[in-house]
Amino acid sequence: MTAGIGRTPDADGAAEPDHPGPLAGVRVAVQAGAPGADALRAAGARLSGDDADAWVMTGTAAGASAAAGVTPTAAVLGAPVTVAATDLDLGNRVLAILAAHRPAAWPADLRLAAPAQPVVAADPSVPSAVTSTLAAAGALVVALPRADAGTAPLPDGVDVVVFPGCRAPAHGCAVTVDVGSSPVSVLARAFDDAVALDIAATLSGAPAIDRVWPVSAADAVELVVFGAHLRGGALAYQLTELGARWAGEVTTTARYRMTVLPTDPPKPAINRVPDNAPGTALYGQSWLMSAAALGRFLAALPPPMQLGKVEIADGSWRTGFGCDAAAATGVDISAHGGWPAAIAAGAVRGAGRP
């Protein structure tokens, strides 16, 4: 794709000194009138009008070479802005800084990840290599039902629309990446920026972005899980359908025990042991989601499962799964250190791989 920009307004031709920060040493050109120069400088970026790694532009522009372009939902930064960069990960990092320094009203039901099987409407002129890549990644690819989807809201039941070339969003957000030697644009609804990023990353062939920029800007909440809701587990879909994003592995302090509940599918019961009782450090995983999504998840949680605070090995306390102690009378599998290891050892009857 292409991006174009004039010299950064306050650049005088001299290189700025490097500062520590998440963008240390990254050269960013900021167009006159575009937001975020001070925030980028504070994050370690070197503001430069020449030979930049990333460009921050008002609206959309064309001119200098870039491999990725991200146009976030306009309300996030207060006006239409495009960040072009040498790769999608860098564009995501620049936007994380810009968005974090301008609080915005994000919707309560914000999705922080693309669904496991996103519905993608493809323009008829999109190359077959693009639709094949999407299908191979689990997307349901459908024909674009109308020709004006770039200027009208997305069709019902569709997560994103893909077009060949650089396409600016009329109502939502967009991410453009090079696929082969040609740009392809992914358009999504307002505030579905994380969905567009995930699908664009799939198309670009680049590694998945672990922490998409909306996570840094929106008020995401964390949930620590230990059993069937682990990534790839039998009930993980209950989180991904709510727009939850997998955020990594964790381990509790050695103050817990794990037993097996006689449910279908089997689930672990996690309980904190008394101060004078022996406990075990347990393996878990972290998911991020909107507060509204966590509320819906909690409302649907069947007894005896509970949510409460869990002590993590780093000393932090995080919201995680627990269980009514009166129901935790099944086989004790604490010695395995976690649900996946217990299943692998054959200690949980009727359980597939988590």
Side-chain angles (χ1 to χ4, degrees):
M1 64 170 289
T2 57
I5 192 168
R7 176 175 291 274
T8 305
D10 58 349
D12 59 4
E16 293 193 351
D18 288 335
H19 299 286
L23 294 178
V26 175
R27 298 162 299 180
V28 182
V30 181
Q31 187 179 37
D38 290 341
L40 293 169
R41 186 184 291 108
R46 302 176 63 185
L47 300 190
S48 170
D50 301 314
D51 196 25
D53 304 304
W55 301 261
V56 181
M57 303 167 284
T58 57
T60 59
S65 176
V70 184
T71 303
T73 300
V76 173
L77 297 179
V81 172
T82 295
V83 173
T86 52
D87 61 64
L88 188 58
D89 178 70
L90 178 56
N92 177 71
R93 290 162 53 204
V94 170
L95 259 172
I97 298 300
L98 296 178
H101 284 76
R102 189 189 185 282
W106 291 80
D109 58 351
L110 174 70
R111 295 196 291 178
L112 292 175
Q117 188 182 40
V119 179
V120 179
D123 183 81
S125 58
V126 168
S128 60
V130 171
T131 55
S132 296
T133 297
L134 291 169
L140 175 61
V141 182
V142 300
L144 186 63
R146 61 172 183 262
D148 63 343
T151 57
L154 266 65
D156 290 341
V158 167
D159 292 300
V160 300
V161 173
V162 293
F163 287 97
C166 299
R167 184 71 69 101
H171 301 275
C173 57
V175 181
T176 301
V177 291
D178 282 344
V179 180
S181 58
S182 301
V184 173
S185 294
V186 179
L187 276 62
R189 293 178 178 83
F191 297 105
D192 261 355
D193 299 80
V195 177
L197 272 169
D198 283 343
I199 294 174
T202 296
L203 286 175
S204 71
I209 298 175
D210 290 334
R211 190 175 180 87
V212 292
W213 67 265
V215 170
S216 302
D219 293 325
V221 295
E222 184 183 27
L223 175 64
V224 176
V225 303
F226 297 95
H229 292 90
L230 295 172
R231 184 164 66 167
L235 299 181
Y237 74 91
Q238 294 179 348
L239 298 175
T240 57
E241 287 182 350
L242 292 171
R245 187 174 199 86
W246 190 81
E249 301 174 329
V250 298
T251 303
T252 70
T253 56
R255 298 296 309 279
Y256 293 88
R257 65 190 289 262
M258 176 181 285
T259 57
V260 180
L261 290 171
T263 55
D264 184 16
K267 301 184 187 75
I270 311 299
N271 293 100
R272 187 174 175 87
V273 300
D275 290 344
N276 59 350
T280 303
L282 298 176
Y283 169 85
Q285 294 180 359
S286 170
W287 292 83
L288 297 174
M289 65 188 77
S290 70
L294 182 61
R296 291 199 299 273
F297 180 77
L298 176 59
L301 198 64
M305 307 309 296
Q306 301 172 343
L307 297 185
K309 291 299 182 181
V310 178
E311 187 179 10
I312 305 303
D314 63 7
S316 63
W317 289 82
R318 310 185 193 181
T319 300
F321 264 98
C323 179
D324 183 346
T329 58
V331 176
D332 192 319
I333 55 172
S334 306
H336 296 283
W339 192 245
I343 291 176
V348 182
R349 291 185 177 181
R353 294 184 63 83

